[in-house]
Amino acid sequence: MRLYHGTNVEIKQIDLAESRVGKDFGLGFYLTPDRQVAQRQAERKYEQYGVGVPTVYEYNFAENDLNALQVLRFSGYTLEWAKFVLENRKNRTHKQVHDYDIVIGPIADDVIGY
């Protein structure tokens, strides 16, 4: 499975301590299977902060890498998804409101155009 991360800063290693609070799925390192989405995110971050270089990082994972992890999957924009996103966005602490290792699904930015 090939996934991408778009940013404006150099990433030497993934550090969850750098994660910002109030994100759709909570603290974490956000990836997408769509390279173009990652590219748009990288450009958005560059425009937002005015520093760095828009960069897309590529990561490859085997499907069985997920087997030992707690995974939550949302198939689309459902009421359950909306409640989950709202809880995470309201959380302004570094303590997760859920126990999942990975959350898969759409982010609200795709819906409301952030």
Side-chain angles (χ1 to χ4, degrees):
M1 169 182 357
R2 184 172 292 142
L3 299 171
Y4 304 95
H5 178 81
T7 186
N8 63 316
V9 296
E10 181 181 9
I11 298 175
K12 293 183 180 177
Q13 72 179 53
I14 296 170
D15 182 0
L16 296 182
E18 297 291 322
S19 182
R20 291 189 329 243
V21 299
K23 302 281 283 174
D24 288 3
F25 297 156
L27 298 172
F29 190 73
Y30 285 63
L31 300 165
T32 177
D34 188 327
R35 183 172 178 62
Q36 290 178 335
V37 169
Q39 183 64 44
R40 284 193 305 269
Q41 182 65 17
E43 291 165 3
R44 185 180 306 154
K45 291 293 180 188
Y46 174 74
E47 289 171 11
Q48 203 173 23
Y49 297 106
V51 296
V53 176
T55 305
V56 173
Y57 289 90
E58 180 178 310
Y59 301 90
N60 291 298
F61 300 95
E63 280 290 331
N64 61 1
D65 288 342
L66 304 180
N67 291 342
L69 302 174
Q70 294 285 54
V71 179
L72 174 62
R73 292 178 189 265
F74 291 105
S75 59
Y77 303 108
T78 63
L79 182 57
E80 178 187 16
W81 167 85
K83 289 178 180 178
F84 186 82
V85 168
L86 183 58
E87 276 302 304
N88 283 293
R89 283 191 167 198
K90 288 188 323 187
N91 181 20
R92 295 298 177 185
T93 72
H94 280 85
K95 183 174 177 1
Q96 290 284 56
V97 297
H98 63 80
D99 293 326
Y100 296 101
D101 299 307
I102 296 176
V103 179
I104 299 170
I107 59 170
D109 291 357
D110 294 339
V111 177
I112 56 180
Y114 278 97

